[in-house]
Amino acid sequence: MSQINRIDSGLIDRAQKLNFTFNGQALEGFAGDTLASALLANGHKMVGRSFKYHRPRGIFSAGSEEPNALVQLRAGAYQEPNTRATVTELFQGLEATSQNHRGSLKYDFMAVNDLFSSFLSAGFYYKTFMWPKAFWEKFYEPVIRAAAGLGRLSGEDDPDIYDKGFLHCDVLVVGAGPSGLSAALSAGRAGARVILMDEDFRMGGRLNAETLSVNDQSGHEWATQAIAELSAMDNVRFMTRTTAYGAYDHGVIGALERVTDHLISSHNKPRQILWRIYTKRTILCAGSTERPIAFGNNDRPGIMLAGAVRAYVNRWGALPGKKVAVFTNNDDGWRTATDLAAKGVEITAVIDSRDGQPPVDVPKGAAVVMGGRIVDTQGRHCIRSITLSNGQKISADCLAVSGGWSPNVQLTCHQRGRPTWREDIAAFVPGVELPQGMMVAGAASGNLSLSSVLQDGHYLGNKAVKDLGFNPTKEIAAKSEEETVGISAFWHVKESKARAWLDLQNDVTVKDVKLSHQEGFHSVEHLKRYTTLGMATDQGKTANIPALAVMAECTGKSIPETGTTIFRPPYTPVAIGALAGRARGKDFRPSRLTPSHAWAEEQGAVFVEAGMWYRAQWFPKSGESHWRQSVDREVTQTRASVGICDVTTLGKIDIQGKDAAEFLNKVYANAFAKLPVGKVRYGIMLREDGIMMDDGTSARFADNHFVMTTTTANAVGVFRHMEFCRQCLWPEMDVHLISSTEQYAQFAVAGPNARKLLQKVVDSDHDISNEAFPFMACGEIRVCGGIPARLFRISFSGELAYEIAVPTRYGDSLVRILMAAGEEFDVTPYGTEALGVMRIEKGHAAGNELNGQTTAQDLGMGRMVSKKKDCIGNTLSERESLNKEDGLSLVGFRPVNRSDELKAGAHFIAKGKTANMANDEGWMSSVAYSPNLGHSIGLGFIKQGSERMGEIVRATDPLRGGEIEVEIVSAHFIDPEGERLRA
Amino acid sequence: MIIHHPLLGPRDASEFVYKGDASLIDRPDWKADNAADLFHDYLYLRDNPAGEHCELWYHEQGDRSWLVVTRNTLTHDITNVELARDVALAKQAKKSGRGEK
């Protein structure tokens, strides 16, 4: 028979039957069930195995604090481990499997661990597996690793979409229980913008789980009515299935909304949304969490929190057992007995650790033991009976345990707030220092009776809106009868001989805490790390306080003297996928495409990522099977005739203003003030510490107008630096900057036929002959019959070359026009590889040389650094250690045996010396195969290199292996006199 | 964190890039006799207060203003935000004696 433990009550929709499977068994539940309530309704008590000892475990709680009932949900790529059955909303077709066992759930091979438990106590991995030493790496560690962890990941990419969102409000109410609803009503009625969120799929909190009444109706009816009133307000936003997981600086709250977790498929909607909420006030109404009492074998399936037992009965009509016993140290635990008895469930006993009289009427037929202690339990896959300290045995298939309630103070600690201890309720409550804008209402603040919770929420809702300038309404708080909430702290049964669990998830027992104390780990933080108490998915929500109490007992101090753990985000687990949002794979960061990208793709270009840019690396032609063939051809063809390269990615900064020239003079190390209009100059930029920052060119188009280029990699940093100089160092200067990198498409046209090609494109009224437009000239021109363009006669390749820039929208057309115009010259497009080969052939420094360690001096440009002006970096560039006689200098290298291949990163060692750090003379920074020379060439830094031309040293590469002899040569391999670029 | 930009109002800290101590505004005089020492101290010596700290933030994903933000390093409370340009100009005015008038 299905749903053998379902009774006729609860807030579930019996008209809507849902089919699901657990470990392959087909089961039925109803809409409104959680997986846990449906499993209980079907009589499933054992749902998993414990982490370390593989003990049978059942459902323990009815909320997000669940330590035991972790299951694997869904299948294939959608498989999700360690899902708490207690917060998993049941849906049609749900598939769940138990985890952490080999073989079946009932007959787990790993259960043998339980027999060896004495070897697995606190810190066992530091002790048990120490000998013999050689066993650790080969045997112990692999075995422990294989046994560790709970569920398993699918190993496939997560197919779901996750999103991020931003919200703003006046008042955020976290938790929609009685205090949260009251607070939201007060704030909403006053007209404030309110967000009300709850981790549950049904708002109402404990009102849905209790039989207490509010305003003379049942609690959940009042909640339904409050929700209806709030729904009618345009200024209130509801967020169910949403957990506020962190309180951040300046009152920002992080929240996770599970949008489609409760559906069989996301239907291409985001599965979860990570919200960042900017709120002026946060009212934390997170409620409280019940904690257990530790006694012998208190971990068997069927032993549950008392509040959870009545929640399953009251809210879901699911019976956790047919013969229920209760063990409590407080009045609230008794409510489980009275509620269940009222539904006709047999209560076998109520054991109250306190002496005196029962606080409420005793349910019929129940044995009452005041001052009672449970020392042990029996039952293999489910509890069968309990043993009291007086030897009495009482049968029970469910034991409801209550050790009192702990306010959910987690979010109040996220900004380093420390909770304070309240002896009267034996619990920590929020401290005085709260995150900005936060107030705490209801059970979360330590007000544990329903009437005070309703009052509190109402009051703080009004207070929040009043603070913000709204007028609270005259409405009064909802009312409820005053229930008894007496408690007397009781943490564990000392008389128990059997193991007594504190942390069910991490298998930490009372003995482990005592051992930890005995071995010197007294502080709570040490205790946590030594025993793993309070770690993993539940973060010790039910375990921390009882464990702290046991430690306090060991140290002979009070609980607050012993310490408290404060909490970090997240409150409940947040999937990495949600934190990543859409920023994964290709979308991890933006892809910047050059204006010629579509054209380059048509040519079959191979692209390389440079920063965020995609640049054509080379353009393979049919018949070319190796990248070197393409690159060699591109270089040869460019040097022989003409080549075209998209150089849009270089940073462009437009500099204007009366003081533009003087400004450049200060940011560049070499002189710029006197650069004539119509000319370009190469410039080097230093950091203030005298190290090279970047190089590039600046072109002067007018007295007060320059256009600067930077390297692709440093475009952002250089612009930031220049804004810093402008605003913070020389604010009196009349100069303005704007990045125009993306506003202009720019192409290098290089090679002996470059001019001839350009003359076909540049409008005929512009004379670009060598006389009219010599090397390092620049000008604003028109191309293709009136399109505005900029022309620069600059050369990175060492050839007669130009760079031509047009507004970005013309970039695609221009490259096609240039290629068509160049057809008669056998023009070739070239990519970054050919660009690199040609600059190495010319000895030009690039990123490999400007690596943040080198100075202008090292690069052979020391004389460019002006001593006659104030500029960034010149003072400290004169430091002694940066100007040593035997300093590095950038030179060329070629292999003695021309067929050897040079490797960048190799280090130079003099012949006959040992290859070690002491004999290190420098390193190879860039290498390429020069098709013009027919062998490998390199640039590198070596001590006093410029004075050692012709010397032979060894280039050793101990990391990758290999060593070759290289000759020190001029870095200018091609056209050292620079005749070509002036042609 | 939220930074109250003097021109743009409250903005999320993720729009900004952090640089460091606002003393970087006080760049030494390159002509001073002990310029090398002054620049060394300027570049490498920083106070590292547990408490109020004036620091430079750049609104890179915004209007590109450099700001001087006074932030408590223990609590992250931000008590003052000014345009760095205004701060730098005020310092210059003070140096040249015009600030007092």
Side-chain angles (χ1 to χ4, degrees), chain A residues 811-830:
Chain A
D812 178 74
S813 305
L814 184 64
V815 72
R816 292 172 198 275
I817 288 166
L818 288 170
M819 287 302 293
E823 215 166 296
E824 61 174 291
F825 310 112
D826 193 24
V827 66
T828 179
Y830 65 94

Side-chain angles (χ1 to χ4, degrees), chain A residues 249-250 278 688 720 727, chain B residues 12 27 60 64 66 76:
Chain A
D249 287 318
H250 302 170
Y278 299 85
E688 194 69 274
R720 185 187 300 161
Q727 296 177 41
Chain B
D12 193 273
R27 189 167 176 271
E60 187 149 81
R64 311 193 319 260
W66 278 93
H76 292 184

Side-chain angles (χ1 to χ4, degrees), chain A residues 249-250 276 278 688-689 719-720 723-724 727-729 731-732 737 868-872 875-876 879, chain B residues 1-2 12 24-25 27 30 36 39 43-44 56 58 60 64-66 76 78 84-85 88-89 92:
Chain A
D249 287 318
H250 302 170
R276 186 185 293 199
Y278 299 85
E688 194 69 274
D689 62 2
F719 188 53
R720 185 187 300 161
E723 282 289 5
F724 168 77
Q727 296 177 41
C728 301
L729 302 183
E732 73 286 359
L737 314 172
K868 294 186 209 130
K869 63 167 185 176
D870 181 20
C871 67
I872 298 288
T875 302
L876 291 184
R879 282 185 288 179
Chain B
M1 289 201 296
I2 298 166
D12 193 273
L24 284 168
I25 291 175
R27 189 167 176 271
W30 71 293
F39 268 92
L43 201 60
Y44 296 112
L56 286 163
Y58 178 51
E60 187 149 81
R64 311 193 319 260
S65 287
W66 278 93
H76 292 184
I78 292 176
R85 189 166 183 275
L89 283 171
Q92 284 186 358

Side-chain angles (χ1 to χ4, degrees), chain A residues 254-321:
Chain A
L256 181 74
E257 181 177 7
R258 292 167 295 277
V259 184
T260 66
D261 275 20
H262 62 293
L263 303 174
I264 181 85
S265 159
S266 291
H267 300 291
N268 292 322
K269 279 189 183 168
R271 178 174 167 188
Q272 299 179 343
I273 300 175
L274 196 79
W275 293 102
R276 186 185 293 199
I277 302 171
Y278 299 85
T279 176
K280 293 176 185 139
R281 293 288 182 277
T282 298
I283 307 180
L284 183 68
C285 306
S288 54
T289 299
E290 200 169 13
R291 53 207 188 205
I293 297 170
F295 49 87
N297 287 311
N298 62 334
D299 68 327
R300 298 192 196 283
I303 301 178
M304 301 168 69
L305 292 170
V309 170
R310 64 178 186 271
Y312 284 115
V313 172
N314 291 335
R315 176 172 168 182
W316 287 289
L319 279 187

Side-chain angles (χ1 to χ4, degrees), chain A residues 597 599-608 615-620:
Chain A
H597 191 84
W599 169 83
E601 263 186 334
E602 289 166 26
Q603 311 308 310
V606 173
F607 294 95
V608 61
R615 298 189 74 180
Q617 200 171 6
W618 63 86
F619 295 82

Side-chain angles (χ1 to χ4, degrees), chain A residues 179-254:
Chain A
S179 59
L181 287 171
S182 301
L185 281 170
S186 300
R189 283 168 183 159
R193 277 198 303 170
V194 176
I195 296 174
L196 174 62
M197 62 172 55
D198 198 286
E199 60 180 354
D200 205 333
F201 55 89
R202 184 186 179 108
M203 289 198 171
R206 286 299 296 178
L207 290 175
N208 295 326
E210 304 288 1
T211 49
L212 298 165
S213 56
V214 180
N215 282 358
D216 301 321
Q217 51 191 336
S218 77
H220 71 85
E221 277 166 2
W222 177 81
T224 308
Q225 206 176 304
I227 291 160
E229 185 186 338
L230 287 162
S231 312
M233 299 180 192
D234 290 337
N235 52 326
V236 178
R237 180 183 181 124
F238 281 89
M239 301 179 82
T240 50
R241 304 181 179 95
T242 306
T243 307
Y245 64 80
Y248 296 93
D249 287 318
H250 302 170
V252 175
I253 300 288

Side-chain angles (χ1 to χ4, degrees), chain A residues 458-534:
Chain A
H458 175 81
Y459 170 75
L460 286 181
N462 278 337
K463 183 174 185 307
V465 290
K466 213 172 156 190
D467 285 354
L468 299 174
F470 293 89
N471 287 322
T473 61
K474 300 272 182 251
E475 301 265 356
I476 54 161
K479 283 199 168 63
S480 106
E481 78 254 49
E482 197 66 48
E483 77 271 25
T484 62
V485 291
I487 179 169
S488 175
F490 185 79
W491 307 104
H492 73 111
V493 177
K494 295 190 183 81
E495 297 90 333
S496 288
K497 296 217 167 55
R499 276 175 294 167
W501 268 261
L502 289 164
D503 186 329
L504 293 165
Q505 182 154 112
N506 295 293
D507 269 340
V508 179
T509 63
V510 171
K511 204 175 122 198
D512 291 323
V513 174
K514 288 182 175 167
L515 186 66
S516 171
H517 171 259
Q518 193 183 313
E519 297 185 356
F521 299 97
H522 300 184
S523 106
V524 179
E525 302 303 329
H526 288 161
L527 168 68
K528 175 172 175 168
R529 277 148 192 89
Y530 193 54
T531 62
T532 70
L533 178 110

